[in-house]
């Protein structure tokens, strides 16, 4: 017996997608629960899964994902030997959680477009036990500006830092491109504890390729 739980959001023109939408699953540690993850290429927003191109799948026990924290495995396909890989992370959602409200704005971001300014958006990443980061929030894109002011976001402390105030959170800013080749503008790290200490906070966006240049600023 198999039951489709739900799917992620669609990411346009991207061979290395980082999905933000989470899929809640009831974990029963005393049972063996097999999870099948299937990846599709949707060419049209209204296209059904049955008509989409099948890219590959992973079947794995849910307990293995939970125990690993973040599990990376190759996708399998009945017609192709190599079809990429997928990383799945698991976070417990039970227990108390604080609602965190954040509002970011940028100042003097890098101009990435040849005939315009930049179309900036940002992502927030939660640190995994192995040191990698899982994207937990992606902002809206603001067109043609070097001084963006994004909408306020609300996110649970459980989702963003596992309720650990000193756990590192990564902020990454990009210039959106329709073809999926989004240009990296810069990043910085912070913690929930730091956010609690100061109501108005300012960071420099760091781009390793431009260490000698004046860094744009990010305000909260």
């Amino acid at each position: 017996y198999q039951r489709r739980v739900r799917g992620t959001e669609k990411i346009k023109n991207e061979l290395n997608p980082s999905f933000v939408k989470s899929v809640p699953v009831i974990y029963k540690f005393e049972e063996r629960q097999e999870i099948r993850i299937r990846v599709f290429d949707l060419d049209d927003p209204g296209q059904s899964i049955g008509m989409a191109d099948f890219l590959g799948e992973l079947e794995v026990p849910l307990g293995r994902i939970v125990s690993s924290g973040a599990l990376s495995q190759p996708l399998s396909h009945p017609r192709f030997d190599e079809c990429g890989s997928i990383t799945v992370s698991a976070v417990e959602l039970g227990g108390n959680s604080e609602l965190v409200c954040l509002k970011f704005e940028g100042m003097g971001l890098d101009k990435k477009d040849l005939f315009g300014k930049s179309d900036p958006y940002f992502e927030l990443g939660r640190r995994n036990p192995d040191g990698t980061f899982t994207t937990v929030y992606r902002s809206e894109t603001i067109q043609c500006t070097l001084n963006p002011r994004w909408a306020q976001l609300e996110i649970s402390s459980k989702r963003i830092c596992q309720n650990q105030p000193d756990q590192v959170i990564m902020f990454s800013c990009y210039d959106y491109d329709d073809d999926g080749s989004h240009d990296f503008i810069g990043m910085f790290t912070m913690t929930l504890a730091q956010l609690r200490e100061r109501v108005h906070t300012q960071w420099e966006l760091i781009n390793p390729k431009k260490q000698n240049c004046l860094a744009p600023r990010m305000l909260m």
Side-chain angles (χ1 to χ4, degrees):
Y1 171 74
Q2 294 183 354
R3 179 173 63 91
R4 184 175 183 269
V5 180
R6 66 177 64 180
T8 68
E9 75 278 17
K10 173 188 173 183
I11 298 182
K12 183 180 178 181
N13 292 332
E14 180 60 68
L15 298 180
N16 301 290
S18 179
F19 301 104
V20 172
K21 184 179 179 181
S22 60
V23 180
V25 178
I26 298 176
Y27 174 51
K28 302 176 182 178
F29 67 92
E30 73 280 2
E31 296 182 12
R32 180 178 176 86
Q33 298 170 273
E34 291 288 337
I35 297 293
R36 175 177 290 177
I37 301 167
R38 311 192 81 193
V39 184
F40 296 89
D41 175 28
L42 292 172
D43 296 320
D44 189 299
Q47 186 178 19
S48 67
I49 292 294
M51 297 298 294
D53 294 324
F54 175 59
L55 300 181
E57 67 180 11
L58 170 67
E59 188 166 342
V60 62
L62 178 58
R64 186 179 175 191
I65 301 175
V66 173
S67 62
S68 300
L71 178 68
S72 296
Q73 292 287 299
L75 292 170
S76 62
H77 194 286
R79 294 171 51 198
F80 307 109
D81 294 332
E82 296 184 7
C83 51
S85 63
I86 190 168
T87 299
V88 188
S89 59
V91 176
E92 182 184 357
L93 297 179
N96 297 326
S97 183
E98 174 185 354
L99 185 63
V100 181
C101 299
L102 302 172
K103 183 176 176 65
F104 292 97
E105 61 182 87
M107 296 179 61
L109 301 187
D110 284 348
K111 178 179 178 295
K112 294 293 185 180
D113 293 338
L114 183 60
F115 300 108
K117 296 181 180 179
S118 287
D119 305 315
Y121 71 94
F122 72 86
E123 296 178 347
L124 297 179
R126 180 187 63 240
R127 186 181 177 88
N128 298 316
D130 62 358
T132 60
F133 286 84
T134 295
T135 303
V136 295
Y137 179 83
R138 182 176 293 114
S139 76
E140 75 278 17
T141 298
I142 301 183
Q143 301 293 324
C144 195
T145 181
L146 302 181
N147 303 292
R149 303 183 70 177
W150 291 284
Q152 178 174 296
L153 68 99
E154 296 182 351
I155 190 170
S156 71
S157 58
K158 188 78 172 182
R159 181 165 172 75
I160 197 171
C161 65
Q162 289 279 53
N163 283 343
Q164 300 178 29
D166 295 319
Q167 180 170 297
V168 172
I169 302 166
M170 179 179 289
F171 179 105
S172 303
C173 186
Y174 300 87
D175 169 41
Y176 180 88
D177 290 319
D178 283 335
D179 62 1
S181 60
H182 312 309
D183 298 312
F184 178 65
I185 295 177
M187 55 77 64
F188 65 87
T189 58
M190 57 187 171
T191 66
L192 184 57
Q194 292 173 338
L195 296 176
R196 287 170 174 169
E197 290 171 2
R198 294 172 288 179
V199 177
H200 300 288
T201 312
Q202 179 174 304
W203 297 270
E204 288 187 345
L205 284 174
I206 304 301
N207 187 334
K209 296 182 179 179
K210 297 187 175 183
Q211 286 291 338
N212 297 324
C213 298
L214 180 64
R217 291 179 292 170
M218 191 63 55
L219 305 176
M220 188 202 74

